[in-house]
Amino acid sequence: MSYADFARSTFLNMLGTLDRLAAAAQDGGIDDKVLQSRLVDDMFPLELQFRVALNQVLLALRQVGNAQVELETTAYHDFAQVRARIAEVAELVERSAPSSWAAPDAIVDLTLPNDVRFVMSSEADIRDWILPNFYFHVAMAYALLRHAGLAIGKMDFIPHMARHRIDATDA
């Protein structure tokens, strides 16, 4: 499996998680005001956790997927908007052909807004920068929703595993 195939399937699995979390918040009556909540003062609020997670996917598509996409800069105001944007980003991932992604050893030169610069291969960019950041922000969204009182558990974080489940009586 190529790094592009691996990244795309991981993005789609975890975008599904983000959508399920946002849907659970909507269905659970969680007020959209929770999008401004944080666990501590110096962390991003829930809204920005969703947005940065999506931006990691968009950054991957832009840096190594040869897609002309812009990062999100506008705050989401409600869970419906979060879910709509998750669906749009998932569609971009679905349309991204692995064959159009940069070669695994192609160079990515990434400079962060704080002027920290990283130079690495495309494969290292996905493995060492994009995916860890993506998972971090997905996990923070989960933690903030759980902290807000949403009744979710570990299987809500990895719902894609249901397709691999075999009951003990089936084995």
Side-chain angles (χ1 to χ4, degrees):
M1 174 182 287
S2 73
Y3 86 99
D5 289 312
F6 179 84
R8 288 177 70 253
S9 25
T10 299
F11 290 147
L12 291 171
N13 283 342
M14 297 311 291
L15 288 169
T17 292
L18 281 177
D19 184 58
R20 283 178 58 127
L21 293 173
Q26 283 181 308
D27 297 344
I30 301 290
D31 193 299
D32 289 324
K33 291 178 186 173
V34 78
L35 288 169
Q36 297 313 311
S37 69
R38 334 169 169 247
L39 293 176
V40 293
D41 290 341
D42 68 343
M43 83 179 288
F44 291 160
L46 176 58
E47 178 277 326
L48 196 50
Q49 300 292 347
F50 278 110
R51 192 160 28 111
V52 173
L54 294 176
N55 275 342
Q56 291 304 309
V57 178
L58 295 170
L59 188 62
L61 292 175
R62 188 166 80 183
Q63 287 179 170
V64 300
N66 292 309
Q68 301 299 316
V69 295
E70 295 298 318
L71 301 182
E72 290 288 307
T73 58
T74 305
Y76 307 133
H77 300 291
D78 55 42
F79 286 108
Q81 190 177 15
V82 169
R83 293 190 71 204
R85 190 58 183 145
I86 291 167
E88 291 169 5
V89 172
E91 177 62 28
L92 290 171
V93 172
E94 296 246 7
R95 287 195 324 245
S96 170
S99 61
S100 70
W101 283 42
D105 59 351
I107 296 300
V108 172
D109 190 337
L110 172 65
T111 301
L112 303 178
N114 64 359
D115 290 327
V116 173
R117 184 176 174 209
F118 299 106
V119 177
M120 62 204 131
S121 69
S122 296
E123 187 174 45
D125 177 44
I126 294 297
R127 181 192 65 230
D128 299 340
W129 180 258
I130 296 292
L131 287 176
N133 277 286
F134 179 60
Y135 270 106
F136 175 84
H137 292 287
V138 173
M140 289 303 102
Y142 171 92
L144 283 159
L145 286 169
R146 179 116 189 227
H147 185 69
L150 188 60
I152 51 177
K154 185 162 187 176
M155 291 310 291
D156 295 297
F157 189 78
I158 52 171
H160 52 275
M161 289 304 296
R163 69 179 174 253
H164 303 294
R165 182 179 176 167
I166 298 174
D167 289 328
T169 59
D170 295 338

